[in-house]
Structure formats: C-alpha cells, structure tokens
Amino acid sequence: MAVRVDLNISLDGFATTTDQTPENPFGDDWSRLVAAYAATQTVRERVFKDTTGAGTTGVDNQYAKAYFANVGAEIIGAGMFGLHNFPNDPDWRGWWGDTPPFRCPVFVLTHTPRASLKMEGGTIFHFINATPEDALKKAVDAANGMDVRVGGGATVVRDYLRAGLVDQLHVAIVPILLGRGIRLWDDLRGLENGYTVKTETAESGIIHLTFQR
C-alpha cells in the first residue's frame, strides 16, 4: 500500500487556475493545463466514456494508466467535489456526472459533513471533517491493501506533503505559464530529501517528475 499524488502543474508551478466565470466554471486555462491528459486513450475511455480506442498512446498515456491503477480509496478537498460552488445545495452531486471515474470510496474533506453519496460505477463519496492523518486512516481502511490517492486540490496535497504522508508524488509539468493561482511548491523547501527523483519527457512536451520514497 502506498499513498500517492498525481497532479498537473504549469511551468511556474501553479496547480489551479483563476479564469473561471459563472458561464465557464472551469475556465480556458484548465483545458490548457489538462489537454495532453484529456487526449490520452486512457482518459478518453475512463473519464469521457469514449470506447472507440481513440486517443494518444505514448508516454502521457502510460502515466494516465498508472494514475488509475491499484487505487482503493481517494482523498479530495471540498473544492474538487464542487462544494465551494454549491455549499447550500443538498442535491449537488459533484462535477463528475452520474458515473465518476474514481470507482472507489472517496473521502471529501469538508467543514460541513453530509450524508454519504453512492454513485454508479463503484464510487461512494464520504464527506468528513477530519485532519489529514485521520482522513488517511479512514482511507487506508477502505482501500483494503490497495493504494490511497490524495487527489487534490493543491492545498490538500500540500497539507499531506508537509505532514510527510506521501510515498509517491507524480507531477506533470505542462509547458504553459499561468501567472497566478495556488502554487504546489510553496512552503515545501527540502521536499526532495528522502525521495528518489526521476524525470521523463513525453511527446507532448510535458515533463513527468516523480518523487518516490
């Protein structure tokens, strides 16, 4: 069992975007940040339900396959579920549609817990008010020996990195500049200590950076 993180960040280190509007809730920058992953065969099938076999099959797709492999539970922040946008809507079921791509128990960190939400495809959202350590204990129990992924957003990931709870950090550095947002690396001086660090460049120009304990 390992605790894993996989994130896309810009060249200047931002893992979030800031150009969202009510009419365009994800913003144009988000599509730029995840374009290469969204184009992979694995993500097209797993997230967008495209079963035609279309999509890229190179290095980015290898990491996309690894992203979904052997994950028994996931931890995400309230923003990644969408609670910040719909805090008072008891019927809000998240950004991910009726069949989210997680296919495992997902623990949503929030100050306002609500009843668990069972979705199609094996995803169950549990809304908990817990410390990173306590949430991880719950996720480890639910994972039944498989890996636990800390999915994001960037603030949640930084909390787990600062606490020394992450065994493997994979960062896809996308060759774009965002200029603002939440930077992954802030307050993480010396993070590389205790990890083996490797890099690999994909056909898309993305640099895949891996910290392995």
Side-chain angles (χ1 to χ4, degrees):
M1 194 285 294
V3 180
R4 296 162 36 191
V5 169
D6 294 270
L7 280 184
N8 294 310
I9 68 171
S10 62
L11 277 176
D12 42 354
F14 294 104
T16 63
T17 58
T18 59
D19 64 333
Q20 296 88 342
T21 66
E23 296 75 26
N24 186 10
F26 288 98
D28 294 330
D29 282 345
W30 183 252
S31 63
R32 297 169 63 216
L33 192 61
V34 302
Y37 258 143
T40 64
Q41 187 181 80
T42 295
V43 171
R44 286 173 67 105
E45 185 278 327
R46 181 90 178 212
V47 179
F48 300 112
K49 312 300 186 293
D50 180 354
T51 59
T52 66
T56 61
T57 58
V59 172
D60 290 328
N61 192 56
Q62 294 173 15
Y63 282 92
K65 286 182 179 179
Y67 176 85
F68 291 110
N70 198 47
V71 175
E74 181 134 359
I75 299 169
I76 65 174
M80 189 169 171
F81 182 80
L83 287 180
H84 293 340
N85 300 76
F86 300 91
N88 300 312
D89 184 355
D91 298 322
W92 172 242
R93 296 170 65 85
W95 298 115
W96 306 97
D98 292 331
T99 311
F102 305 103
R103 303 181 187 176
C104 67
V106 179
F107 295 87
V108 183
L109 300 176
T110 173
H111 295 300
T112 55
R114 56 174 70 186
S116 295
L117 180 61
K118 186 174 183 178
M119 310 290 283
E120 297 177 9
T123 300
I124 304 176
F125 291 108
H126 302 290
F127 303 90
I128 61 173
N129 185 359
T131 65
E133 291 83 359
D134 288 341
L136 182 57
K137 290 177 183 177
K138 293 178 183 294
V140 168
D141 288 342
N144 289 322
M146 299 174 71
D147 292 345
V148 173
R149 181 170 55 220
V150 181
T155 301
V156 172
V157 168
R158 280 210 315 261
D159 288 343
Y160 277 85
L161 290 170
R162 278 198 297 264
L165 299 174
V166 176
D167 300 308
Q168 178 181 303
L169 168 65
H170 163 241
V171 176
I173 304 175
V174 183
I176 64 173
L177 296 173
L178 294 180
R180 58 186 181 178
I182 299 175
R183 279 175 45 86
L184 174 63
W185 306 122
D186 287 352
D187 303 318
L188 292 175
R189 181 176 182 271
L191 173 68
E192 69 281 359
N193 295 328
Y195 289 95
T196 299
V197 183
K198 296 181 179 180
T199 63
E200 184 175 11
T201 302
E203 298 87 346
S204 61
I206 287 178
I207 298 173
H208 293 275
L209 175 65
T210 303
F211 293 74
Q212 180 73 52
R213 203 188 301 280

CSV table of all heavy atoms in Angstrom, one decimal, residues 49 93-100 118-121 123:
chain,number,residue,atom,x,y,z
A,49,LYS,N,-15.9,8.3,-21.4
A,49,LYS,CA,-16.7,7.2,-21.9
A,49,LYS,C,-16.5,6.9,-23.4
A,49,LYS,O,-17.5,6.5,-24.0
A,49,LYS,CB,-18.2,7.4,-21.5
A,49,LYS,CG,-18.4,7.8,-20.0
A,49,LYS,CD,-17.9,6.8,-19.1
A,49,LYS,CE,-18.2,7.1,-17.6
A,49,LYS,NZ,-17.6,8.3,-17.1
A,93,ARG,N,-24.4,16.8,-6.7
A,93,ARG,CA,-23.8,15.5,-6.7
A,93,ARG,C,-22.4,15.5,-7.3
A,93,ARG,O,-21.8,14.5,-7.7
A,93,ARG,CB,-24.7,14.6,-7.6
A,93,ARG,CG,-26.0,14.3,-6.9
A,93,ARG,CD,-27.0,13.6,-7.8
A,93,ARG,NE,-26.6,12.2,-8.2
A,93,ARG,CZ,-26.8,11.2,-7.4
A,93,ARG,NH1,-27.5,11.3,-6.2
A,93,ARG,NH2,-26.4,10.0,-7.7
A,94,GLY,N,-21.8,16.7,-7.3
A,94,GLY,CA,-20.4,16.9,-7.8
A,94,GLY,C,-20.2,17.1,-9.3
A,94,GLY,O,-21.2,17.1,-10.0
A,95,TRP,N,-19.0,17.4,-9.6
A,95,TRP,CA,-18.6,17.8,-11.0
A,95,TRP,C,-18.6,16.6,-11.9
A,95,TRP,O,-18.5,16.7,-13.2
A,95,TRP,CB,-17.2,18.4,-11.1
A,95,TRP,CG,-17.0,19.6,-10.3
A,95,TRP,CD1,-16.2,19.8,-9.3
A,95,TRP,CD2,-17.5,20.9,-10.6
A,95,TRP,NE1,-16.2,21.1,-8.8
A,95,TRP,CE2,-17.0,21.8,-9.6
A,95,TRP,CE3,-18.4,21.4,-11.6
A,95,TRP,CZ2,-17.4,23.2,-9.6
A,95,TRP,CZ3,-18.8,22.7,-11.5
A,95,TRP,CH2,-18.2,23.6,-10.6
A,96,TRP,N,-18.7,15.3,-11.4
A,96,TRP,CA,-18.2,14.2,-12.1
A,96,TRP,C,-19.2,13.4,-12.9
A,96,TRP,O,-18.9,12.3,-13.4
A,96,TRP,CB,-17.4,13.3,-11.2
A,96,TRP,CG,-16.4,14.0,-10.4
A,96,TRP,CD1,-16.5,14.6,-9.2
A,96,TRP,CD2,-15.1,14.4,-10.9
A,96,TRP,NE1,-15.3,15.2,-8.8
A,96,TRP,CE2,-14.4,15.1,-9.9
A,96,TRP,CE3,-14.4,14.1,-12.1
A,96,TRP,CZ2,-13.1,15.6,-10.0
A,96,TRP,CZ3,-13.1,14.6,-12.2
A,96,TRP,CH2,-12.5,15.3,-11.2
A,97,GLY,N,-20.5,13.8,-12.9
A,97,GLY,CA,-21.5,13.1,-13.5
A,97,GLY,C,-22.0,12.0,-12.7
A,97,GLY,O,-21.6,11.7,-11.6
A,98,ASP,N,-23.0,11.2,-13.3
A,98,ASP,CA,-23.6,10.1,-12.5
A,98,ASP,C,-22.6,8.9,-12.3
A,98,ASP,O,-22.8,8.1,-11.5
A,98,ASP,CB,-24.8,9.6,-13.3
A,98,ASP,CG,-25.9,10.6,-13.2
A,98,ASP,OD1,-26.0,11.4,-12.3
A,98,ASP,OD2,-26.8,10.6,-14.2
A,99,THR,N,-21.6,8.8,-13.2
A,99,THR,CA,-20.6,7.7,-13.1
A,99,THR,C,-19.2,8.3,-13.0
A,99,THR,O,-18.5,8.4,-14.0
A,99,THR,CB,-20.7,6.8,-14.3
A,99,THR,OG1,-22.1,6.4,-14.5
A,99,THR,CG2,-19.9,5.5,-14.1
A,100,PRO,N,-18.8,8.7,-11.8
A,100,PRO,CA,-17.5,9.3,-11.6
A,100,PRO,C,-16.4,8.3,-12.0
A,100,PRO,O,-16.6,7.1,-11.8
A,100,PRO,CB,-17.5,9.7,-10.1
A,100,PRO,CG,-18.9,9.8,-9.7
A,100,PRO,CD,-19.6,8.7,-10.5
A,118,LYS,N,-23.7,7.6,-2.8
A,118,LYS,CA,-23.3,6.4,-3.6
A,118,LYS,C,-23.7,6.7,-5.1
A,118,LYS,O,-24.8,7.0,-5.4
A,118,LYS,CB,-24.0,5.1,-3.2
A,118,LYS,CG,-23.6,3.9,-3.8
A,118,LYS,CD,-24.2,2.6,-3.2
A,118,LYS,CE,-23.7,1.4,-3.9
A,118,LYS,NZ,-24.3,0.2,-3.2
A,119,MET,N,-22.6,6.5,-5.9
A,119,MET,CA,-22.8,6.8,-7.4
A,119,MET,C,-22.7,5.5,-8.2
A,119,MET,O,-22.3,4.5,-7.6
A,119,MET,CB,-21.7,7.8,-7.8
A,119,MET,CG,-21.6,9.1,-7.0
A,119,MET,SD,-23.1,10.2,-7.1
A,119,MET,CE,-22.7,10.9,-8.7
A,120,GLU,N,-23.0,5.6,-9.4
A,120,GLU,CA,-22.8,4.5,-10.3
A,120,GLU,C,-21.3,4.2,-10.5
A,120,GLU,O,-20.5,5.1,-10.4
A,120,GLU,CB,-23.5,4.7,-11.7
A,120,GLU,CG,-25.0,4.9,-11.6
A,120,GLU,CD,-25.6,5.3,-12.9
A,120,GLU,OE1,-24.9,5.2,-14.0
A,120,GLU,OE2,-26.8,5.6,-13.0
A,121,GLY,N,-21.0,2.9,-10.8
A,121,GLY,CA,-19.6,2.5,-11.1
A,121,GLY,C,-18.7,2.3,-9.9
A,121,GLY,O,-17.5,2.1,-10.1
A,123,THR,N,-18.2,4.3,-7.1
A,123,THR,CA,-17.8,5.5,-6.4
A,123,THR,C,-18.8,5.8,-5.2
A,123,THR,O,-20.0,5.8,-5.5
A,123,THR,CB,-17.7,6.7,-7.3
A,123,THR,OG1,-16.7,6.5,-8.3
A,123,THR,CG2,-17.2,7.9,-6.4
